[in-house]
Amino acid sequence: MSRLQAEHLYKVFGRRPEAAVERLRQGADRDELRADGTTAAVIDASFTVEPGQIFVVMGLSGSGKSTLLRMLNGLLEPTAGQVRFDGQDLTALSARELREVRSRKISMVFQHFALFPHRSVLDNAAYGLEVQGVPRAEREKRATEALELAGLKGWEQSWPDQLSGGMQQRVGLARALATDADLLLMDESFSALDPLIRRDMQDQLLELQKRLKKTIVFITHDLNEAMRLGDRIAVMRDGRIVQIGTAEDILVTPANDYVAAFTQDVDRSRVLTAGAIMADPETAYGTKTPEGRELRTAQDVLDAAPATVSADTPIIELFTPCSTSGVAVAVTDADGKLVGVVPRARLLAVLGEPMTPADQQQDAAGVPAPAQAAPAQAADDAASSGDEAEGKVIAGA
Ligand SMILES: Nc1ncnc2c1ncn2[C@@H]1O[C@H](COP(=O)(O)OP(=O)(O)OP(=O)(O)O)[C@@H](O)[C@H]1O
Ligand SMILES: [Mg+2]
């Protein structure tokens, strides 16, 4: 069962919201409604978040991210649609039941985390537990642990104004962690921080997540942050989710020109992984090494490969091996079994322009899609590898 499930969620602000939803269902867009003084903040949002996942919602200011997040913990009631948390329909709960779920199972971390200035860091971190009525000794113990997890050991007795902005934000994180909530909702939680501290917080969250395996919905307008943190990413535009997928999906096969434009400045070579772009091992069979030896088996491919990498290797690490050999790089699993190959042509192709939806349609009509594009290219690459000037390829990259 998914931890969190949003089904056809709508949130309309203004007069006669239900009528507005009806119009949206019939194809009206945000601008048409705005003319009547009605704001369609979220339009027909559906997605699931699995236990232990970081689900990122990304979009420009005003695209509806915060509104969507507030519906996930029941702070805002959807105009239409449902939110299920562990299978339970949040929209069907009474106000009291909802408060209970919100205080025990869901924690929220905001962009500007408001700490109580006259409470120690420890008491600030323990605040959520205090609201739950947890006795002092117990809540101090749990808050102390949470502060340590958030990298604030030793600061328990300090006052908030003795902490830097980044540290204060960590107190917010500690407060959320202390409650043992399974679901963390983070709204631009790192956006107010300096770039270096922000990166540090992202690392820390990923590190924490390895141990705690919470389910996290993380909102950001920063694409690089989305790509670093998200197991899956939903891209929002004007109230609608226009694409949901992994970082690789969004980079390699953007759903439309808007997403393509949004992602054009991302450093693909660091986001894309060997596993995301590799082709079936069989595609290398029949190709030849520069010395003219034909590759027939997985072992031949492994022997001839200029490098052997794991599926999660960023493709930036494949350039040097690919530049020195026309033979595909081998991708192996933890047991050393060959699971894929990355031919040089494939590596160069994914760094180029993302495929437009028109290209993708063409793929559907028979031309190989990116993930399957390698067979033809692998053969091409191998065929031309013998006489191809290596320097030319690098210059082209
Ligand atoms: N309480 C409200 N009443 C009326 N309109 C609202 C309300 N809350 C949000 N909106 C409108 O809904 C739209 C989406 O707002 P929302 O705050 O969800 O966007 P966002 O993606 O979180 O933006 P930001 O990145 O700036 O935080 C905006 O047009 C906003 O003006
Ligand atoms: Mg917001």
Side-chain angles (χ1 to χ4, degrees), residues 65-66 187-188:
K65 307 179 296 294
S66 296
D187 192 351
E188 305 263 8

Side-chain angles (χ1 to χ4, degrees), residues 146-163:
L147 283 167
E148 183 171 356
L149 281 173
L152 287 173
K153 190 177 166 65
W155 292 89
E156 297 81 359
Q157 301 312 324
S158 304
W159 301 107
D161 66 3
Q162 295 174 302
L163 270 51

